[in-house]
Amino acid sequence: MNTTTENKIVVGVWPTLVYHDGQAALKFLTEGLGFTQVCLYPGEAEGSIAHSELAWPAGGGVMVSSVGRQHVPDDFSWLADHPQSVYLVVDGDPDALLARAIAAGAVVVRGLRDEDYGSRGFTVKDHEGNLWSIGTYRGEIVA
């Protein structure tokens, strides 16, 4: 949920993903899914990402880093070998977003479908196996 404090939006939940190839992840997430890159801090290894934030158009965002962000691997580096799953709410046309994701290299796991709870959406897999489910369902939480 996003809240506003002094004209500043505060995001209370940040899914965090660690990739082997963080640069490819940023490209897929921005060009393929439509995230906007907010910040990027390089890691210690050449081309690695210590920390990045990407904003989602319907609110919220994700944090992305990569293996090599520091010389000594930590518990977060383990995540790169264990694909994760994130759900994104889309305001608008999920059909067009699916075509965009496929053009950026996504593999379709579950094609477009209408759910009995009122959502229209799909699930794709990125280049490192993370699942991205996108749909029109906003959940039951009301701010």
Side-chain angles (χ1 to χ4, degrees), residues 3-128:
T3 58
T4 304
T5 306
E6 298 176 24
N7 297 326
K8 184 176 184 179
I9 294 176
V10 178
V11 178
V13 177
W14 285 93
T16 304
L17 294 102
V18 180
Y19 285 85
H20 287 283
D21 186 345
Q23 298 298 330
L26 293 180
K27 183 175 181 174
F28 172 74
L29 294 172
T30 56
E31 295 177 11
L33 294 183
F35 280 91
T36 300
Q37 186 175 310
V38 176
C39 69
L40 173 66
Y41 299 96
E44 294 178 2
E46 181 71 29
S48 69
I49 299 168
H51 173 81
S52 66
E53 294 175 14
L54 294 100
W56 182 244
V62 296
M63 293 181 185
V64 172
S65 64
S66 67
V67 172
R69 63 191 188 101
Q70 57 190 28
H71 291 301
V72 179
D74 61 9
D75 288 341
F76 287 98
S77 298
W78 173 89
L79 292 172
D81 293 322
H82 298 83
Q84 304 295 304
S85 175
V86 178
Y87 176 75
L88 305 169
V89 174
V90 62
D91 288 330
D93 184 9
D95 301 58
L97 187 54
L98 176 57
R100 179 178 174 173
I102 292 169
V107 174
V108 177
V109 172
R110 188 189 72 205
L112 276 164
R113 67 183 191 195
D114 296 314
E115 302 291 352
D116 58 359
Y117 50 89
S119 184
R120 179 164 177 76
F122 61 90
T123 300
V124 294
K125 187 184 301 187
D126 68 21
H127 65 287
E128 292 196 19

